[in-house]
Amino acid sequence: MDGSVLQRRLAALVGDWYAEHARELPWRAPGVSAWAVLVSEIMLQQTPVHRVLPVWREWLARWPTPQDLAVEPAAEVIRAWGRLGYPRRALRLHECAKALVERHGGEVPREVEALLALPGIGSYTARAVAVFAYGDRHPVVDTNVRRFVARAVTALADAGPPRTVADLAAVEELLPADPADAARASIAFMELGALICTARAPRCADCPVYAECGWQRAGRPAATGPARKVQKFAGTDRQVRGLLMAVLREATAPVPRAALDAVWQDGTQRERALAGLLDDGLVHRLPGDRYALPS
C-alpha cells in the first residue's frame, strides 16, 4: 500500500474512531486557550491523565493566563505542582510564563520556531501546542504515535529508539493536506496509541485499522530489540527527592536540616538527593543549615 493510500485510509479510519471514542478531556474542549493547552502538555509529560486532571483544573482556575503565573513566587508554583512528579517542570513552566509576558505580550505564539525558543519547550511540546491549540498542520510524535506508526505502517511490534527526523517524516506522510483534518488525525493517532494500540496488551480486535495494520497482517511478530526495563520507583533517588520536597512544600517557614534527615535513613542517598534538588534550583540552602523552596 503506497503512502498516499495509507494517508487517506489511516487518517480517515482513526479520525472516525476518535470522533466516537475519544476521552472528553478539558484541554480538548472547544475554545480552550493556547495557554491551557500548553500547561496540559507540560503536566502530561511522564504523568498519567488521571493525576494531571485535578492539578490542571486548579492551576487554570488560579493562573488562567501567563501573566497570572509569571508574577507568582517560584515557591508557590512548586507547592501548587504538588505530587505530579518531576517538579523541575513547574519551574520551567514558571520561566515560560515570564518569557511569554516579556517576548509575546502574554500570548502563546503559534509558530513552532517561536514556541521552541521558550524555556522548557521541546520539539514535541512546540508542535503539540501549534496543532492542538491552533489547528495547524505539523507532525506530533510521542511514544504512542511512534508505536502506532511502527505497527500499522512498518509491521514492527516496537518503534525502537527515537529518531526525531525520521519519526517526524513518517508521521507527516500520514497527515491529510488540510490543516484541520491533519490536526484531527494527529490527536486521533495519539489517542489510539494510548487506549488501543498499547505497548503491553494491544486491543487489536477493537482497532479501526485492524484490516490495514501491517503488524497484524504479518502475524504480529515479536519485537526483536532488547526488552525495555521497567523503571522502578521505590527506593530510588526520585522517591527520596519526593519525600524531601513534600516536607518543604508543607512547611510555612525554613526547615532545619534535622527535619529533612528524618525522611530517609540512608544518609548517602539522602545527601545525593538533596544535592540534586539544590543543583536544580528547587531548594535553597539558608544560613543556619536551613532549607526552603526558592523565593
Side-chain angles (χ1 to χ4, degrees):
M1 186 180 294
D2 64 40
S4 62
V5 175
L6 272 176
Q7 173 181 311
R8 291 193 297 270
R9 290 290 295 163
L10 294 185
L13 290 170
V14 180
D16 289 345
W17 170 87
Y18 178 82
E20 185 175 353
H21 298 285
R23 291 169 291 182
E24 292 185 5
L25 301 177
W27 45 82
R28 294 177 180 170
V32 71
S33 70
W35 169 244
V37 173
L38 189 153
V39 171
S40 75
E41 290 297 338
I42 298 295
M43 288 185 172
L44 287 165
Q45 294 171 6
Q46 298 178 286
T47 308
V49 168
H50 73 272
R51 292 183 58 199
V52 169
L53 278 168
V55 182
W56 181 88
R57 290 190 174 103
E58 291 170 4
W59 270 57
L60 268 297
R62 184 174 181 180
W63 301 308
T65 69
Q67 293 93 328
D68 297 315
L69 182 63
V71 297
E72 283 284 355
E76 285 305 307
V77 176
I78 294 171
R79 285 193 178 93
W81 193 259
R83 295 184 177 273
L84 277 185
Y86 302 100
R88 278 176 293 182
R89 292 180 294 167
L91 288 183
R92 289 171 184 162
L93 193 50
H94 191 222
E95 294 166 3
C96 182
K98 292 180 179 180
L100 289 172
V101 173
E102 294 169 0
R103 304 177 197 172
H104 300 284
E107 299 295 328
V108 176
R110 182 170 191 157
E111 299 76 17
V112 169
E113 292 76 13
L115 288 161
L116 284 169
L118 294 170
I121 303 300
S123 175
Y124 164 78
T125 304
R127 288 172 172 80
V129 172
V131 172
F132 304 149
Y134 293 111
D136 291 342
R137 186 186 186 277
H138 299 285
V140 182
V141 181
D142 71 348
T143 300
N144 293 317
V145 174
R146 292 182 68 246
R147 182 172 57 252
F148 166 71
V149 173
R151 289 174 178 170
V153 179
T154 60
L156 297 175
D158 185 83
R163 300 172 300 159
T164 302
V165 174
D167 291 338
L168 289 172
V171 174
E172 184 164 15
E173 186 177 353
L174 302 178
L175 297 180
D178 178 73
D181 292 341
R184 182 188 184 198
S186 291
I187 189 63
F189 292 155
M190 191 175 298
E191 189 79 338
L192 189 76
L195 301 182
I196 302 295
C197 194
T198 57
R200 296 187 182 181
R203 295 163 47 198
C204 294
D206 298 326
C207 182
V209 302
Y210 179 90
E212 285 77 13
C213 177
W215 185 54
Q216 184 66 40
R217 296 173 70 177
R220 296 178 58 172
T224 56
R228 295 186 179 182
K229 295 181 179 180
V230 177
Q231 291 186 338
K232 65 177 183 177
F233 177 73
T236 63
D237 286 2
R238 278 188 57 213
Q239 182 184 17
V240 183
R241 285 167 60 104
L243 293 172
L244 295 171
M245 289 296 294
V247 172
L248 295 166
R249 281 197 309 270
E250 295 164 7
T252 57
V255 172
R257 180 58 174 266
L260 298 180
D261 289 345
V263 306
W264 196 255
Q265 186 173 4
D266 185 334
T268 300
Q269 187 178 24
R270 188 180 63 244
E271 287 298 318
R272 185 169 63 243
L274 180 58
L277 292 172
L278 290 166
D279 289 343
D280 290 341
L282 290 164
V283 177
H284 284 181
R285 181 186 283 117
L286 304 175
D289 205 20
R290 298 174 303 152
Y291 298 82
L293 297 177
S295 60

